Amino acid sequence: MPTHDVTNQPPPLVDYDVYAADTALREGVARYATPKRLGEIDAELSVLGRAAGSAEAQRWGEQANTSEPQLRTHDRYGHRIDEVEFHPAWHQLLDRAVSAGLTGDAWNRMNGHLRRAAGFMVWSQAEYGHGCPVSMTHAAVPALQADPALAAQWVPLLTSRSYDPGLRAPGDKRGALAGMGMTEKQGGSDVRANTTAAVPLAADGEYALTGHKWFCSAPMSDVFLVLAQAPGGLTCFVLPRVLPDGTRNAFRIQRLKDKLGNRSNASSEVEFDGTTWAQRLGPEGRGVPTIIEMVAATRMDCVLGSTSLMRQALAQASHHAAHRSAFGGPLLEKPLMRNVLADLSLESEAATVTALRLAAAFDSATPEERDFRRLAVAVSKYWITKRCPAVAAEALECLGGNGYVEESGMPRLFRESPLNSVWEGSGSVNALDVVRVLTREPQVVDAFLAELRLAEGADPHFDAALKELLTELADQEGLEARARRTVERLALLLQASLLLRHAPAAVADAFCVSRLGRDWGTTFGTLPARLDLGAIVDRSRPVIS
């Protein structure tokens, strides 16, 4: 028998336009888009935003994560097949991502990286796990340009808007996905310690591989970029799952990883048994320089992914607070809750403006922009991915016990939140990459500092922090030991510079006072009470019409 009516529970955050509800994202797209293209871009992103906010997409995300991928090494007759089976929801999510151009549009459209970055941030809010093959496919394109023949074979398939799952010969497919195999048991991030061997075959550029990849992404992809030791040193190879004649390559999936989060996505260990056929991409011994363009693009997607996760966590928290009453009134009107939500909002908007600035840099061909993004991607990947778990945890807590329950969706966001800080170079790897740039590439440092200086004179906290940074950079003794501290300062100054130039005064002032002026505690919700916290929260909260 019923005991009471359900009251004081927020309605689901569903059937809304994820893009239209994100003011900082819309403003950033307008800032960098070619004016004649802005209407077209806005329209496309709104279509994707409504899809991402739909009940259907949210159901797909839940289904793809609760019905996890299953490895089938053999068929019923004992034949080795090495296939991974996914819930139909996984294919629905991937189909929408591919058809929206998230795998290929960056490379063949005006404002392509901007369009694609905004779209990736919007659509990832429906479900993040399928972003792995989306990201790998997008990122493989610049690496493949090292070989015109291989690029001609694979790039049209990888940039297609047709999602065509299943293992078949490349010539029989309307579209293809790409994966990556770099890390091995004994080396991890130190890929130069890889032991997978590549033996040249009779045909020029063809090799047989033998070895084990400890972490191979998206194993049901059509083609992989892998590293192996050729006679001339560590080399990059293109390895298809199915050979041109329709037979399957020797690609033995040993097991799927049992991960903290990212449960919808199959990550695997694979064996190459000496008959695994691959084609060389780039010269022997130049494996890392060849694949580095792919790494740069996937690191950029780590920034986008963490920004997307933070935005969705904030949206859920502020939506809950707007519809939940406690202690005599709506949570949103309580001064302490406003402080927490405003603090989370600063983190989310700072990540958003940074991600879009990076996307604009990828769209530019000038040497200055290439130099800027060389350092800015590594700095932003380190910092934004580090902030994501803290934001997800605090946002979850805003829902109280409801946020700790799986049905809220917040636990999935929380489990996903550390991922991007680990993948594509963990925090220390990125920090050491920054150190290499700071000590070896002065023109890159100059391009980055030029971006910071665009905000000089706008805020005293910013000016003081910039002066401290320049003093620190001048002293390179012990730079490796303090690398994380230096990267954190670089990241905060970049975010502050962008907010001072592009965000409302309430947002920029609060960010500079707290993050640079150190008028801030050690947890979220410790902003100075004198700030215009209500304006910050109102700007970030998704309002459903």
Side-chain angles (χ1 to χ4, degrees), residues 134-454:
V134 171
S135 179
M136 297 292 114
T137 303
H138 155 78
V141 172
L144 285 164
Q145 303 296 345
D147 187 309
L150 287 172
Q153 177 185 352
W154 286 107
V155 170
L157 290 170
L158 298 179
T159 56
S160 167
R161 281 194 171 210
S162 296
Y163 176 57
D164 192 0
L167 298 181
R168 301 190 305 281
D172 296 334
K173 302 202 73 173
R174 295 174 289 112
L177 298 178
M180 179 195 290
M182 293 176 64
T183 57
E184 298 184 4
K185 287 174 285 191
Q186 72 288 342
S189 295
D190 184 8
V191 295
R192 295 187 187 278
N194 283 4
T195 60
T196 295
V199 177
L201 300 175
D204 183 44
E206 297 183 4
Y207 292 71
L209 305 187
T210 306
H212 182 102
K213 291 298 178 183
W214 183 242
F215 215 102
C216 182
S217 67
M220 284 301 287
S221 297
D222 300 282
V223 64
F224 295 81
L225 267 61
V226 302
L227 294 177
Q229 298 286 356
L234 190 66
T235 304
C236 187
F237 294 92
V238 173
L239 189 160
R241 282 294 315 263
V242 179
L243 303 177
D245 64 3
T247 60
R248 295 195 177 186
N249 209 353
F251 185 96
R252 308 306 186 202
I253 304 176
Q254 301 301 95
R255 62 171 174 165
L256 301 184
K257 297 291 193 179
D258 186 7
K259 297 169 294 183
L260 167 68
N262 206 243
R263 309 291 293 190
S264 66
N265 176 40
S267 303
S268 64
E269 294 176 37
V270 298
E271 293 276 0
F272 309 141
D273 68 357
T275 64
T276 306
W277 180 83
Q279 294 171 282
R280 188 183 71 242
L281 180 64
E284 282 193 3
R286 299 287 294 169
V288 173
T290 300
I291 207 169
I292 200 67
E293 287 297 323
M294 185 177 191
V295 174
T298 51
R299 283 183 175 178
M300 172 63 181
D301 276 6
C302 288
V303 173
L304 299 178
S306 290
T307 301
S308 172
L309 287 168
M310 285 193 282
R311 172 58 194 175
Q312 181 56 209
L314 170 63
Q316 293 291 342
S318 58
H319 177 76
H320 176 88
H323 294 87
R324 178 83 163 175
S325 293
F327 311 112
L331 276 175
L332 194 66
E333 296 179 4
K334 303 299 180 182
L336 187 53
M337 178 56 77
R338 274 205 309 273
N339 200 316
V340 172
L341 292 174
D343 219 348
L344 294 174
S345 299
L346 294 180
E347 210 69 51
S348 176
E349 181 154 353
T352 300
V353 296
T354 305
L356 294 176
R357 175 64 183 93
L358 294 177
F362 274 94
D363 273 327
S364 175
T366 68
E368 294 80 10
E369 287 291 87
R370 285 198 300 270
D371 287 340
F372 166 71
R373 74 176 189 244
R374 166 73 179 94
L375 182 55
V377 169
V379 165
S380 302
K381 197 275 185 187
Y382 172 87
W383 181 243
I384 291 174
T385 62
K386 287 288 186 193
R387 300 304 294 152
C388 189
V391 170
E394 193 68 57
L396 182 154
E397 189 176 333
C398 289
L399 275 67
N402 288 336
Y404 204 69
V405 175
E406 283 293 334
E407 288 176 319
S408 72
M410 300 302 284
R412 175 153 57 92
L413 284 176
F414 181 66
R415 288 192 299 270
E416 206 78 59
S417 64
L419 171 69
N420 289 315
S421 187
V422 176
W423 282 8
E424 307 311 326
S426 61
S428 290
V429 171
N430 273 265
L432 291 173
D433 191 20
V434 171
V435 168
R436 282 190 290 273
V437 173
L438 294 177
T439 55
R440 302 177 189 176
E441 302 181 55
Q443 80 286 355
V444 172
V445 179
D446 288 344
F448 187 90
L449 292 176
E451 180 75 20
L452 301 188
R453 289 191 171 106
L454 292 174

